[in-house]
Amino acid sequence: MSYLPKPKIHHPQLPKNTLGLTRRDYEGSLSTLCAGCGHDSVSAALIQACFELDLPPHRVGKLSGIGCSSKTPTYFLGPAHGFNSVHGRMPSIASGAAAANRDLVYIGVSGDGDTASIGLGQFIHAIRRGVNMLYLVENNGTYGLTKGQFSATADPGSKNKGGRTNAYPAIDLVQLALQMGAGFVARSFSGDKAQLVPLLKAAIAYPGFAFVDVISPCVTFNNHEASTKSYAHIRRHDRPLVAADFVPHAEEITTAYAPGERVAVTLHDGSTLYLKKLAEDYDPYDRAGAMSYLQRQQADGAVPTGLLFVDAAPVEMHAVLGTDDRALNSLPYEALCPGATALDDINAALR
Ligand code: SF4
């Protein structure tokens, strides 16, 4: 993994956000991924989203597991906190970090190998617990880091670079997230920045578990004609369902949409998520309907993208546990250690 910093010199007229930071202040180290890898486009979209949200980079926690995807947190938000865990264990690290310090914004980046195989149990329990985080999967249907084996999200019948056909059914992480109760579920494409950036902004601001599956082609091992995760295939089969635009609470709410073309979802902090239906028969508030629609579309070979489901009142881990509003590292010693009497009371209650 490279830690070579990018040159910090930039044009003095670069636009600044309300923190006085430019987009360059949200960059990370130089990427060592293959030229053209979709993951670098995802990093660029995350940089843009965090810049536009005016996030202080040092208030962000970046988390990952193992794989080409899990290298990408090195390439955005250099000043943020970061933890590169072992394979498939990113959700545990995210859960622990979010439990200890609820004041940070958590961005977990994983891959289809990291999440859909070794990390599958971890993934569904992070959803179940409602960890407040953006969980992003850079999905290319292949193990790029180990030279192109099929991953568990590879479609049956698709071929790898060597011409072998995948015989196994694919695990659809979007449908799994819907079934497990995730409050915000979206799918996008690394080559569609106009769709991806607002989705990432909304997912980062969402007060619960937000899952974004990004089809992010592996140009070295899975970008050929017989792949269903290639740039050409996704461009041919992309079916945008719901376009999303996100307006943070702090900004004056203005919009160019004509009345009647959009619906607004107000989140708990007053932020507004504008949704514009693209498919007539699609309802982004209907969890069961979303799953049924996805299955019908996928049977036709389509790749539905956009905001697939949103719940304006999500279940969040701290609300379930009834924890203190303050981060653990800001609590005084007396609050963290209530003393021997409290322990005696607990022990007495268990006898
Ligand atoms: Fe990206 Fe594939 Fe190269 Fe890995 S092997 S960096 S996924 S193009």
Side-chain angles (χ1 to χ4, degrees):
M1 196 176 293
S2 163
Y3 295 101
L4 284 177
K6 287 185 178 174
K8 276 295 171 198
I9 300 167
H10 57 73
H11 195 283
Q13 301 302 323
L14 275 184
K16 293 181 176 170
N17 62 15
T18 61
L19 301 176
L21 301 175
T22 71
R23 190 184 174 285
R24 301 271 342 252
D25 296 312
Y26 290 81
E27 292 179 346
S29 301
L30 283 172
S31 173
T32 58
L33 303 180
C34 306
C37 177
H39 301 356
D40 281 335
S41 302
V42 178
S43 295
L46 280 165
I47 289 167
Q48 189 68 27
C50 292
F51 167 72
E52 290 180 9
L53 284 173
D54 303 317
L55 281 183
H58 69 286
R59 303 306 296 162
V60 174
K62 304 176 296 181
L63 309 149
S64 64
I66 295 292
C68 294
S69 58
S70 292
K71 293 169 71 177
T72 60
T74 312
Y75 311 136
F76 61 86
L77 266 68
H81 304 275
F83 197 105
N84 184 208
S85 77
V86 292
H87 209 190
R89 269 49 180 175
M90 178 271 280
S92 287
I93 304 298
S95 303
N101 188 351
R102 60 189 301 169
D103 289 345
L104 296 185
V105 169
Y106 292 100
I107 300 175
V109 181
S110 183
D112 39 301
D114 195 59
T115 288
S117 287
I118 193 167
L120 198 60
Q122 297 251 328
F123 173 61
I124 60 179
H125 284 284
I127 298 174
R128 189 172 151 263
R129 292 196 181 108
V131 180
N132 187 359
M133 66 181 297
L134 160 61
Y135 192 118
L136 189 155
V137 167
E138 294 172 335
N139 188 350
N140 54 23
T142 190
Y143 285 89
L145 200 62
T146 52
K147 307 283 184 267
Q149 301 86 352
F150 290 119
S151 80
T153 66
D155 292 308
S158 62
K159 293 185 187 299
N160 69 7
K161 195 176 177 182
R164 298 184 71 163
T165 302
N166 179 35
Y168 299 107
I171 292 176
D172 185 335
L173 294 172
V174 156
Q175 292 193 46
L176 191 57
L178 284 167
Q179 187 176 3
M180 289 308 303
F184 183 109
V185 181
R187 173 177 281 141
S188 191
F189 171 42
S190 62
D192 187 355
K193 195 175 174 187
Q195 182 192 59
L196 182 55
V197 171
L199 279 177
L200 293 178
K201 287 167 66 179
I204 289 169
Y206 188 71
F209 189 93
F211 177 61
V212 183
D213 180 39
V214 184
I215 308 298
S216 176
C218 169
V219 290
T220 301
F221 294 108
N222 205 17
N223 195 37
H224 47 87
E225 196 48 42
S227 164
T228 55
K229 298 275 193 293
S230 66
Y231 281 110
H233 184 91
I234 299 302
R235 288 201 174 105
R236 278 199 300 268
H237 297 269
D238 187 358
R239 298 283 184 279
L241 296 181
V242 177
D245 196 4
F246 180 71
V247 180
H249 181 45
E251 289 178 19
E252 180 190 2
I253 296 176
T254 58
T255 177
Y257 291 118
E261 278 192 319
R262 63 192 169 89
V263 290
V265 181
T266 303
L267 302 181
H268 80 132
D269 67 347
S271 299
T272 306
L273 186 62
Y274 289 109
L275 305 179
K276 185 179 172 191
K277 246 197 216 190
L278 299 181
E280 279 305 311
D281 54 342
Y282 194 74
D283 178 2
Y285 305 110
D286 177 1
R287 189 184 295 275
M291 291 184 67
S292 161
Y293 188 93
L294 285 170
Q295 285 168 3
R296 290 200 310 275
Q297 288 289 306
Q298 286 170 4
D300 287 344
V303 182
T305 61
L307 181 58
L308 304 172
F309 175 76
V310 65
D311 181 346
V315 175
E316 196 272 324
M317 179 176 69
H318 285 283
V320 173
L321 296 176
T323 51
D324 198 284
D325 287 342
R326 298 163 291 176
L328 289 186
N329 64 358
S330 68
L331 290 177
Y333 177 77
E334 300 72 40
L336 284 172
C337 180
T341 308
L343 182 60
D344 291 342
D345 290 345
I346 292 170
N347 285 336
L350 297 173
R351 287 196 182 102

